[in-house]
Amino acid sequence: MSDDIRGGRLEVSGVKVAYGDMTAVWDAGLTASPGRVTVLLGCNGAGKTSLLNGIAGSLPSSAGSVVLDGKDLSGSPAWKRARSGISLVQEGRRIFGDLRVDENLLLGLPRVSSAERRRLLDDVFEDFPLLHEMRARVAGHLSGGQQQLLAIAQAVAGRPRVLLVDEPSSGLSPVAFAQVLDVIKSVRDRGLAVVLVDQLVDLLLDGIADDVVVLDRGRVTFAGSAEQMTPDRITSDFLA
Ligand code: ATP
């Protein structure tokens, strides 16, 4: 298995994201650390996607700071944040359905020599053997779970420091989602910092969360370790 994954420490605080007059995220923050998964929970419309986009820079944030390994990226555009190591896998598997699996993966690789790109592609296939079997297939013909794996593999191929994954369970069967979670756990175990948004609270808390942040109407109502996130707190936070 390739061993050049290097996680980073992401520190986000005081972020505000608005759509015109409508503020979706108020003064929100989270941290992500190498080898840990931070799960971001909250009801529909709580602001989870908006916060992820504010962190990645795909939506502007009018306040707050985003710091990766001590480097302040708060005023930086999305491409600079991506180049610094923040990679966002957006909901809905943004892959190119009319390209082959290997062509999609090549698009995620850095611009290096073709020999080096072949080596990096081999690394990705070592990490994602299922995609190696499917490398010549047209991505749009893969199942939902396989497309989700491809989207995550494409992001991991770029060797990010922090992987942000938005709603990977969306449209997937429980079995397919479990496979996606296994892949996320494996990159986490190899040192990547991961922030995961999903609504399947029990599955996340049982299976993958190291740290938990709860958003409610754009504000953080809980931040702590998964052990501190007891079932009674989930109920009260989600019914609040
Ligand atoms: P879900 O779990 O349903 O995906 P979420 O927690 O990710 O929800 P967001 O999608 O961030 O929440 O939405 C937060 C708030 O911002 C909601 O009130 C939503 O209606 C609003 N919102 C989201 N996107 C837009 C947009 N493009 N324009 C205007 N308002 C938006």
Side-chain angles (χ1 to χ4, degrees):
M1 187 168 270
S2 64
D3 57 3
D4 46 359
I5 284 184
R6 188 153 68 89
R9 181 167 172 80
L10 177 71
E11 294 164 299
V12 178
S13 64
V15 165
K16 180 175 175 182
V17 178
Y19 302 92
D21 291 341
M22 212 290 287
T23 300
V25 176
W26 303 80
D27 190 24
L30 55 80
T31 59
S33 306
R36 292 182 76 81
V37 173
T38 299
V39 171
L40 180 58
L41 298 173
C43 306
N44 283 124
K48 304 179 299 294
T49 297
S50 303
L51 177 55
L52 282 196
N53 281 292
I55 294 170
S58 29
L59 276 178
S61 43
S62 52
S65 70
V66 174
V67 176
L68 179 63
D69 290 329
K71 184 175 170 188
D72 191 350
L73 297 170
S74 312
S76 303
W79 64 266
K80 212 167 192 174
R81 298 183 196 206
R83 205 169 64 182
S84 300
I86 298 177
S87 183
L88 170 61
V89 180
Q90 290 179 318
E91 188 181 351
R93 307 183 278 280
R94 307 281 168 99
I95 56 165
F96 295 101
D98 51 350
L99 294 184
R100 289 161 37 138
V101 166
D102 52 1
E103 291 168 334
N104 268 281
L105 290 170
L106 283 166
L107 289 172
L109 296 178
R111 291 181 183 276
V112 288
S113 70
S114 53
E116 178 68 359
R117 283 164 71 76
R118 265 197 303 278
R119 190 190 70 75
L120 289 172
L121 188 60
D122 286 345
D123 278 355
V124 179
F125 286 142
E126 212 178 309
D127 294 343
F128 297 87
L130 182 68
L131 295 180
H132 184 249
E133 285 169 32
M134 302 188 161
R135 62 191 178 282
R137 287 183 59 184
V138 174
H141 295 172
L142 303 183
S143 72
Q146 291 159 351
Q147 290 186 24
Q148 185 64 259
L149 286 180
L150 177 57
I152 292 172
Q154 197 185 45
V156 171
R159 291 292 176 244
R161 301 282 170 83
V162 182
L163 182 68
L164 313 175
V165 190
D166 193 6
E167 299 256 7
S169 70
S170 177
L172 297 191
S173 69
V175 171
F177 182 48
Q179 287 169 350
V180 170
L181 286 185
D182 281 345
V183 163
I184 293 173
K185 281 181 200 163
S186 118
V187 291
R188 179 270 311 271
D189 292 345
R190 292 167 53 216
L192 196 59
V194 180
V195 179
L196 179 59
V197 163
D198 217 284
Q199 296 205 2
L200 300 177
V201 178
D202 295 344
L203 192 49
L204 293 173
L205 294 180
D206 289 348
I208 195 168
D210 297 300
D211 300 300
V212 179
V213 173
V214 178
L215 269 189
D216 180 27
R217 282 160 283 184
R219 298 179 195 273
V220 173
T221 55
F222 172 84
S225 68
E227 293 77 36
Q228 293 168 307
M229 188 71 193
T230 51
D232 56 312
R233 186 184 287 279
I234 294 173
T235 309
S236 57
D237 275 321
F238 278 80
L239 297 181

